[in-house]
Amino acid sequence: MRDHRPKAAQDLLENGLTGQVRQRAMVLSQLSQQVKALLPPASAQHCRVANYRDGILILECGSSSWATRLNYDRHTLMSALRRDTLPSLMTIEIKVNPELARREQAEAEKIEKAKEWRTVSPAAAECLRMIAQSAPEKVKKKLEAIAELAERNRSK
């Protein structure tokens, strides 16, 4: 007979296919961190572990130039991984995934965009001056300083 008693959601998530996928993702993430620690910092930023199966470690990088650099470090990386982490490692394959480069570029653009200075328009500077007229002295000085900064940025 089948057991029809309710099961805990945690048991279903851990013991089912979802749990296996999650565990595999965690193992690959840890392996990726270990690989990045063994690589030179510049190369480590541009690659990730895609898979490990049957003694073959597959690394992905964003461009063929980074794949070439990783190929130069392949033997030292393989010996370090065999010694410390993966004694059954037979080879390392390096594949180019252009999507990885696009993501890196999008993240870099997002960071640059966040760094851009926001400017105060002349209309906003004039509004700040009007508000400053009726503000307390301490606030008045700060508002006038912001308006003055807008004037300096506009004259550049």
Side-chain angles (χ1 to χ4, degrees):
M1 284 190 75
R2 291 184 60 180
D3 184 15
H4 295 287
R5 289 179 288 178
K7 294 183 180 179
Q10 186 71 23
D11 290 340
L12 291 173
L13 290 175
E14 286 181 1
N15 298 330
L17 182 62
T18 307
Q20 293 172 357
V21 170
R22 187 176 59 85
Q23 288 173 350
R24 179 78 173 156
M26 288 174 53
V27 167
L28 288 177
S29 177
Q30 290 172 349
L31 184 57
S32 184
Q33 289 174 355
Q34 292 171 348
V35 166
K36 287 182 179 193
L38 295 171
L39 287 172
S43 297
Q45 291 178 354
H46 297 281
C47 77
R48 69 177 178 194
V49 171
N51 200 3
Y52 177 71
R53 183 183 55 220
D54 300 328
I56 301 171
L57 178 66
I58 300 173
L59 297 179
E60 284 184 337
C61 57
S63 68
S64 59
S65 60
W66 285 112
T68 303
R69 286 186 184 193
L70 287 172
N71 271 321
Y72 292 140
D73 296 328
R74 178 192 303 223
H75 294 292
T76 56
L77 178 62
M78 195 168 3
S79 62
L81 284 171
R82 280 181 183 158
R83 184 181 59 243
D84 298 334
T85 309
L86 299 170
S88 62
L89 179 65
M90 294 187 319
T91 187
I92 296 176
E93 288 183 14
I94 299 170
K95 303 210 175 199
V96 177
N97 181 356
E99 184 62 31
L100 191 60
R102 285 189 206 108
R103 286 183 190 165
E104 289 172 2
Q105 186 177 9
E107 288 176 14
E109 288 173 0
K110 188 176 179 181
I111 291 170
E112 284 299 318
K113 196 172 187 178
K115 287 182 181 179
E116 289 179 3
W117 289 92
R118 294 184 180 172
T119 58
V120 177
S121 68
E126 188 60 36
C127 288
L128 288 173
R129 285 196 178 94
M130 287 191 287
I131 293 169
Q133 291 174 356
S134 62
E137 191 61 35
K138 191 174 181 180
V139 175
K140 182 178 183 176
K141 287 181 183 179
K142 290 180 181 180
L143 290 173
E144 287 175 346
I146 294 171
E148 182 64 30
L149 184 64
E151 289 295 322
R152 276 191 252 146
N153 287 339
R154 189 175 62 185
S155 63
K156 285 184 179 179

